[in-house]
Structure formats: C-alpha cells, structure tokens
Amino acid sequence: MISLEEFHEDFFNQVRAAADAEGEFLEAAFLELYCDYLTDSGEFDTFDAAHHRAAKGMRVDGYAGDPLEGEGVLTLIISDFSPDPAIETLTRTDVDALFRRLSNFLKSSLTEGFKESLEEESEGYGLAELIWARRHQIARARLFLISNRSLSARVEGLEEGQVGVLPVSFNVWDITRLHRLVASGKGREDIEINLAADFGEEIPCLSASVGGSDYEAYLAAVPGGLLAKIYERYGARLLEQNVRCFLQARGNVNKGIRNTILNAPGMFFAYNNGVTATAEDVTVVSDLGGTRITGLKNFQIVNGGQTTASIFTALKRDKADLERIFVQMKLSVVDPAKSIEIVPKISEFANSQNRVNAADFFANHPFHVRMEEFSRRLWAPSVDGTFRQTKWFYERARGQYLDAKSLLKVSEKKRFELEFPKQQTFTKTDLAKFEMVWEFAPHIVSRGAQENFATYAKLIGQRWSKDSDAFNELYFRTAVARAIIFRTLEKDVIRQPWYDGGYRANIVAYSIAKLAKLAFDMKRSVDFEEVWKRQAVPESLRTELVRVAEAVQGVLTSPAAGMANVTQWAKRQGCWSQVEALEINLSHALAFLVEPSEAKASKRDAKKTQKTDGAISAQVLAVQVSPTGWERALTFARSRRLLTPKQHSIMAIAATPGRVPSDKQSVLLVEALTALEAEGYIRV
C-alpha cells in the first residue's frame, strides 16, 4: 500500500499540475480535486465552489448543493491548503479558527440584509441568497474543513453545536483521512457501527442462513427511530453506490410513505416493503433475551433508500413520532473479497423496478471493463514535434492509476508515467461529463458528478443492452477527443478578457453543448477523429468554442427572475432552453465539421471490427473455462431451467473434453454464461 508521504506527494503534484494546466490558484485546484474524492465516496451529493472571504473573520469556499434537495441538510466547506511539500500539522487552534470563520458566514447568511452587503455578481452573494431563501427548510448544517495537513493526535473530536437555533456538526478531513479513504481501494471510508454505544439500542433478529453454508443472513424489524438516527449520522454513505446513483428522487419525501408515517404508523410494517442491506461483518449476541445484532461493519442499504430517507425527513421536517414505526430488513453478510461481484447482484435483484439500469455501473460492468481494456491497449498518436506515443488511462475504479504506479519499482514508475501521463487519466464521472454535454444536457452536468453519472449510466445501460458492439475503439477514441475538447476549453476560457472568474465549469459545459446542438441542426458532426489524430483541438474549433462561450456566459450570469444563485440557475432546464435559443452563426464551421455519412461509415466499420474482436474474445473465454467449469455451469442452468435447448446443447459440447466450440458457438456460450451470472451463478 502506498505510504502517507507518497500519497501526499502525489496529491500535491496533482494539485500543482491541475493549477498549471487550468490557470487556477493552487488552493482552488486543491479544493476541486479534494471534493471530487468526497463526492465519489458519498460524503457529498455534489460540490459547488463558492469563495467568500471577509476581513470580519468570515469565510466559505464551497457548499454541497441546495439543502432543499438534500433532506434539509446544508453542507458548507472551508479549505486549508498548505503549499509546503512536507506534511504539516493541523492543530486544534487552527481547526477552531477555521470553523469559527465558516460559522460566522452561516450566521450572517441567516441574518436579514446580509446578502445585500455583498457584490451581487459574487459567488458569496449567490450562496448567501440561497441560504436565506432556504432558511425555513434547513433542518441542520454540516460544516466541513478539508486540509492537506495532518490533524494533531490531540484533537479527538468536535462536539456538535448550534448557529442560532440550527444544529451544526463539525467534520475534519485531513490528509491522513483522505489517504485512508483512497488506500482502502473501496472509494469510501469504513462505517463501523456499535449500536449500543452509538445509539443506545440493539436490533433483535432471526438467522436466515443454513449452518455450514458460505452465505450468512439475518431478518430483523428495525425501529424507525433507530434507522433515522443511523441515517442522520452517515447520510448518503449508507446508500450503496448503485442506489445512491440511481435513486434520483432521494431528496424528495415519498408521499405514500409520509402519509403512512403520519396517519397510520401502526400499519407501516404491513404497507412498506422494507430494506435490503449488506454488511461486511455483523456482531451478534444470543442469550435468554434472544438473538440481537450489536455491531455492523460497512452497513449498506442496497434497496430501500427512499424508505430510509423518507423516515428521516418525516422525523426532521414533520417532527413525526416514530415510536410505532418498524422497518423489515433483510441483511446479507458479504465477504469483502467478493463484494464487488455479489453486492451488484443483490442490488440488481432487490431493485427490480430498475432493471433497465441493472447492476449497472459498478466498476465491473462490461462497459467499464471494455473501456479500461481499450485504454491500456490503444496508443494515442504522437503529438506534433515528438516521436513518443502515449495512452489515456481510464480509471474504472477510483485510485487505479495510483495503485498501478505504487506497485512498480522506481525505474518502472518513470516508464509508466511516460506511457500514461497523469494529465491523460480520466474517471467514470469524468467520462460521463465529457459525454453528456454532447447529449445536449449541460444542465444535468451542472448538477454534479453523481446525478450526471446516474443519467449517463441509465443512457449507456439502455444502449449497451441494444447494441454492445457500438462501444468499440471508435467510441473510445471519440470519448478521448471529447475529453481533449473539454479540457482545452477549460484552459481557453480563463484566458479571455470577458471572463471575470467563477462558473467556468458551467460555461464550458454549456458552450460545448451549444456548439454540438448548432452542428446537429446543420446536419453535421464534429470531426472527432481529427482531434484524436492531433491529440489537440484544431484552431478553428477552438476559436468557435470561445466565441460561443462568451455568448453563453451572458445567459448563465443573468439568472431568471427570482434567482440570484448562478450555480443553481445553471442546473435548470430553463437555463439550457435560453442558451439553446441563442442565435450564433458558426462562421468557420466547415473546417471542423464532417458529413453524417462519413461519421456513419466510420461507426459501421468500427462495429464490424468490434464484432470480430468480440468473437475472438468469446473463443478465448470458451477455451479458458475448463470442461469441468462448463459442466458446473450446465448443472446450475439445468437445476433452475434457465437456458434454451440450443444453449444447453452448446454448453454440453464445451463440457466435453477434447471438443472445441466454433466461433459462433463461443459467442453463444458467452451469452449463456452472462445470463447465468445475472441469475446468481458465480464463475470459479
């Protein structure tokens, strides 16, 4: 595992590289990179920068979305960046001083007339206006301090407090905590729950697994009040990633659930389907009082997120009495080593209403596996003036790049960095951002990484099920070209005389979407292959994008009546409608646009290649699985009557020693095996 010092050095270099590439201050790049990790881990649903500093001991650097969309929880963020390459210590005095400044901003924002004292165009004004407008809906506030210093061991914790009548919790993320998060390889912090010590009660349960089996499970009726308290402490981190991504209405109280809680609490258990959950470890005690769950490690709700959030919201907003509310729970204990394989299946089958999304966009979904395979295999053309080719590193799981590099010797690390330059890495959420702007959805992109990724995942999931061969080398090259366009415009925008700072991410997303729509209306397509070949954006395209961006900025920074927060305005369909209606003439369009027939021909050829490659891969897999393995799969299929007679006969051929399936038979075998795995079969 990479050491804290190595991680700190790498993280510092990432910040410096991002600041240099994007023309930002180091602290701004630090804040954005840090909050990317926290958003991926579920600590935040989204992140919006909002810098405000005043001489009166007041400061804020960002927030995590509209509290109206987050069960009435307001999350404010202050950053503490040290430019020292060595790890410094974050003391209690530092912590108290920073939280005092953040609390002062919150307190002032809840005071009538404060926002009028700020410049109307500033990010601070927009955030203060949002807080004032939502003051009656905010149930509590979470204040976050993020730092690249290491918190002193003398700071054991911070008690909750109040700003006015508002309950406030204080959270510190230092470099040591971030290192633990990334080094764990899980993309999230461990959740360790001691029910008695943390919440003053335990959960009576029944064992639901057969002794001696590899599967351990429990059935329980969880008190609604206890579930609400657990959710209050851990929030979206309790929602397994699939649920967190696809439960789009999580912030809205389900009316049926709310009505039952308020008007018929005694019937809640009968009317509600309950929750399906997993844990990596469960502590259980049995005595004369029965069997009880006393501890849970990495407790995750894979179905029932809406139920959980609605109970919590009913408690906080409606002051509901949860004494008679009980929630049925099916709890599966999952070995951490197998969680990436088993949890998606539990989630998929438990969330039957989301079958289109399926187990989707877990890191092991075939879409991500294919993108990763392309990224490790395809060399990008050398840029002008050099003879060195490089590759684009796709992280289907957060931290893969760092993990891959940490396993190498010193001499090998240099070679790795030359082959995979750090600036040529991109994650799943990056890919979703690069792609969704070309789907004419900049307002979705502006809603943050998680919601945008959810929309992208649903879209790709549907397209994958219809035609997986469409996701081929051309698709990957196009995705990289779109990444190059996006990142180039980020740099170009900040150099423009009309750019006065702030909202760059929104300007970039809207500008590319607008250009894509203009090209679409002209029945043309951007020549992405040319961008891939150059590994750069043609000058004519850069010029047009900057021109579009200037026009777009005017719409973004002039919110509709009743809105002062530009960031929230950018998340609205109405904002995109106004940008879409802008009349802009692409004066140099033909220089970088191609006829649809050319694009279609390229796609058709790429699909044929992918189909051929897929057949070869299928034959390799058919041979890699031993006859005994195919016999085991066949037995599983027969016992559950899952396959067609044709699939049975082909699998019987593969199970016969000495018989080698043909190309077509191999493709059918892989399809059959995939179908079995969707029904719970685990390949050995």
Side-chain angles (χ1 to χ4, degrees):
M1 183 177 75
I2 189 170
S3 69
L4 174 62
E5 288 71 22
E6 289 174 313
F7 175 75
H8 177 267
E9 180 182 4
D10 184 85
F11 186 71
F12 188 87
N13 288 337
Q14 287 183 58
V15 170
R16 188 161 48 195
D20 290 344
E22 297 168 16
E24 292 183 324
F25 290 113
L26 283 172
E27 192 160 359
F30 162 76
L31 177 69
E32 189 169 333
L33 184 61
Y34 210 125
C35 289
D36 279 347
Y37 280 113
L38 298 187
T39 303
D40 282 352
S41 73
E43 195 72 61
F44 304 151
D45 285 341
T46 184
F47 164 71
D48 299 305
H51 300 284
H52 175 76
R53 303 187 185 191
K56 299 177 181 178
M58 189 185 305
R59 178 178 159 193
V60 66
D61 291 300
Y63 64 108
D66 188 337
L68 201 60
E69 299 169 359
E71 291 105 30
V73 178
L74 171 68
T75 299
L76 299 180
I77 303 155
I78 190 168
S79 72
D80 169 62
F81 174 72
S82 168
D84 195 319
I87 301 175
E88 295 187 324
T89 300
L90 181 64
T91 68
R92 178 59 186 257
T93 302
D94 298 325
V95 170
D96 288 344
L98 287 161
F99 275 131
R100 191 179 307 115
R101 301 189 74 185
L102 189 56
S103 298
N104 286 344
F105 178 82
L106 173 58
K107 183 178 180 180
S108 297
S109 298
L110 291 169
T111 304
E112 187 173 6
F114 169 69
K115 62 185 175 66
E116 280 73 22
S117 68
L118 308 177
E119 291 185 19
E120 195 167 335
E121 295 78 18
S122 70
E123 293 177 344
Y125 178 90
L127 177 54
E129 193 273 340
L130 177 68
I131 294 172
W132 177 252
R134 299 286 187 259
R135 64 192 183 281
H136 297 305
Q137 287 83 35
I138 299 173
R140 64 190 178 101
R142 300 190 307 162
L143 305 190
F144 277 79
L145 163 59
I146 64 170
S147 175
N148 65 335
R149 293 193 280 173
S150 182
L151 185 63
S152 169
R154 297 180 180 180
V155 185
E156 296 182 355
L158 296 170
E159 293 183 1
E160 292 197 359
Q162 283 191 312
V163 171
V165 297
L166 196 64
V168 175
S169 63
F170 301 93
N171 305 271
V172 178
W173 274 85
D174 67 336
I175 194 65
T176 305
R177 189 175 178 185
L178 183 64
H179 171 245
R180 281 199 306 267
L181 170 70
V182 176
S184 71
K186 299 172 184 174
R188 56 178 170 79
E189 274 196 309
D190 283 339
I191 295 175
E192 301 268 6
I193 302 175
N194 183 322
L195 289 166
D198 297 341
F199 302 103
E201 55 185 310
E202 299 166 344
I203 303 174
C205 66
L206 293 173
S207 175
S209 49
V210 180
S213 70
D214 293 334
Y215 178 68
E216 184 182 351
Y218 298 91
L219 295 175
V222 184
L226 174 60
L227 189 61
K229 285 189 284 187
I230 294 173
Y231 186 77
E232 180 174 20
R233 175 168 298 190
Y234 296 104
R237 291 174 59 203
L238 284 183
L239 302 181
E240 175 275 323
Q241 189 177 18
N242 194 48
V243 178
R244 190 167 69 244
C245 285
F246 293 98
L247 191 58
Q248 305 234 10
R250 188 176 59 76
N252 302 320
V253 181
N254 181 290
K255 291 181 180 178
I257 296 175
R258 179 176 180 271
N259 288 336
T260 303
I261 293 171
L262 298 179
N263 303 316
M267 297 303 294
F268 187 89
F269 191 86
Y271 294 163
N272 188 268
N273 290 330
V275 302
T276 301
T278 65
E280 290 181 4
D281 191 29
V282 174
T283 305
V284 176
V285 297
S286 296
D287 53 29
L288 294 177
T291 303
R292 302 181 307 282
I293 297 172
T294 62
L296 296 158
K297 181 176 181 180
N298 288 332
F299 178 63
Q300 294 280 281
I301 295 170
V302 298
N303 184 39
Q306 184 69 76
T307 293
T308 305
S310 295
I311 291 173
F312 168 76
T313 306
L315 173 66
K316 292 298 179 181
R317 288 189 189 170
D318 302 313
K319 310 301 180 186
D321 182 1
L322 303 181
E323 188 68 29
R324 300 173 65 192
I325 302 296
F326 289 88
V327 183
Q328 56 183 314
M329 177 177 71
K330 180 176 74 174
L331 176 65
S332 298
V333 183
V334 179
D335 182 342
K338 297 180 179 179
S339 62
I340 197 170
E341 183 175 11
I342 296 175
V343 173
K345 289 183 170 61
I346 295 174
S347 180
E348 177 181 357
F349 302 135
N351 288 280
S352 58
Q353 70 273 22
N354 288 332
R355 288 301 289 257
V356 171
N357 307 338
D360 291 276
F361 268 54
F362 276 88
N364 62 339
H365 186 280
F367 169 83
H368 292 301
V369 174
R370 187 176 292 179
M371 292 301 104
E372 179 188 54
E373 187 271 326
F374 289 147
S375 82
R376 305 302 191 267
R377 177 169 59 82
L378 295 180
W379 290 94
S382 57
V383 298
D384 292 343
T386 70
F387 300 101
R388 182 180 297 280
Q389 288 184 281
T390 59
K391 296 175 183 175
W392 285 74
F393 192 100
Y394 178 60
E395 283 195 333
R396 64 184 176 99
R398 172 67 87 169
Q400 276 186 310
Y401 183 88
L402 195 56
D403 287 344
K405 194 170 71 170
S406 68
L407 297 173
L408 302 174
K409 298 176 182 177
V410 175
S411 58
E412 295 172 329
K413 286 182 179 179
K414 184 65 176 175
R415 188 160 56 247
F416 178 85
E417 290 170 347
L418 289 173
E419 183 176 340
F420 297 103
K422 180 64 183 177
Q423 67 271 22
Q424 290 180 194
T425 63
F426 61 111
T427 65
K428 296 195 301 294
T429 50
D430 289 335
L431 177 61
K433 177 175 64 177
F434 301 148
E435 291 289 294
M436 286 301 292
V437 291
W438 296 93
E439 298 287 344
F440 317 137
H443 55 300
I444 304 295
V445 174
S446 296
R447 291 175 189 172
Q450 291 300 317
E451 186 166 342
N452 180 60
F453 181 71
T455 306
Y456 175 68
K458 181 178 179 181
L459 181 69
I460 297 303
Q462 292 170 338
R463 292 176 181 175
W464 179 275
S465 63
K466 289 180 181 177
D467 185 8
S468 61
D469 289 332
F471 299 94
N472 45 49
E473 290 187 11
L474 176 63
Y475 181 89
F476 180 81
R477 294 197 302 269
T478 299
V480 170
R482 289 173 171 178
I484 293 170
I485 292 170
F486 198 101
R487 290 176 173 175
T488 300
L489 184 56
E490 284 183 321
K491 298 173 188 175
D492 287 347
V493 162
I494 59 177
R495 300 190 184 106
Q496 304 311 309
W498 49 260
Y499 180 69
D500 53 7
Y503 317 119
R504 184 189 63 169
N506 307 117
I507 293 171
V508 171
Y510 271 86
S511 301
I512 295 175
K514 176 62 177 175
L515 182 131
K517 188 63 170 60
L518 289 169
F520 178 82
D521 292 341
M522 295 170 64
K523 295 182 171 55
R524 294 288 191 276
S525 173
V526 169
D527 191 352
F528 295 112
E529 279 293 279
E530 183 65 22
V531 177
W532 165 262
K533 289 173 185 175
R534 296 186 184 203
Q535 290 292 290
V537 183
E539 197 60 40
S540 56
L541 177 53
R542 291 180 73 169
T543 300
E544 292 290 21
L545 278 168
V546 169
R547 199 163 61 83
V548 171
E550 183 174 9
V552 162
Q553 188 205 33
V555 175
L556 285 171
T557 54
S558 304
M563 294 194 71
N565 189 303
V566 173
T567 304
Q568 298 306 313
W569 164 236
K571 299 176 182 180
R572 302 291 183 90
Q573 172 69 51
C575 183
W576 169 234
S577 296
Q578 286 195 23
V579 170
E580 209 174 359
L582 284 174
E583 292 189 10
I584 301 175
N585 179 42
L586 296 182
S587 56
H588 300 89
L590 296 181
F592 56 81
L593 298 181
V594 294
E595 293 280 352
S597 57
E598 291 183 52
K600 286 180 180 178
S602 298
K603 288 182 179 180
R604 190 165 53 247
D605 293 342
K607 284 176 67 174
K608 287 181 181 177
T609 302
Q610 183 59 45
K611 195 177 288 291
T612 302
D613 291 345
I616 294 171
S617 298
Q619 195 161 30
V620 170
L621 177 61
V623 174
Q624 283 179 339
V625 177
S626 67
T628 303
W630 286 118
E631 180 62 42
R632 181 172 172 271
L634 185 58
T635 301
F636 179 90
R638 283 172 175 160
S639 67
R640 291 163 175 77
R641 300 179 181 178
L642 295 174
L643 301 180
T644 66
K646 184 177 181 180
Q647 289 172 319
H648 271 281
S649 62
I650 294 174
M651 198 169 283
I653 292 173
T656 304
R659 297 286 298 274
V660 179
S662 67
D663 289 358
K664 290 183 178 179
Q665 289 173 335
S666 296
V667 172
L668 292 173
L669 276 172
V670 171
E671 291 175 355
L673 187 59
T674 301
L676 294 183
E677 289 177 334
E679 296 296 334
Y681 176 71
I682 298 176
R683 196 191 322 167
V684 178

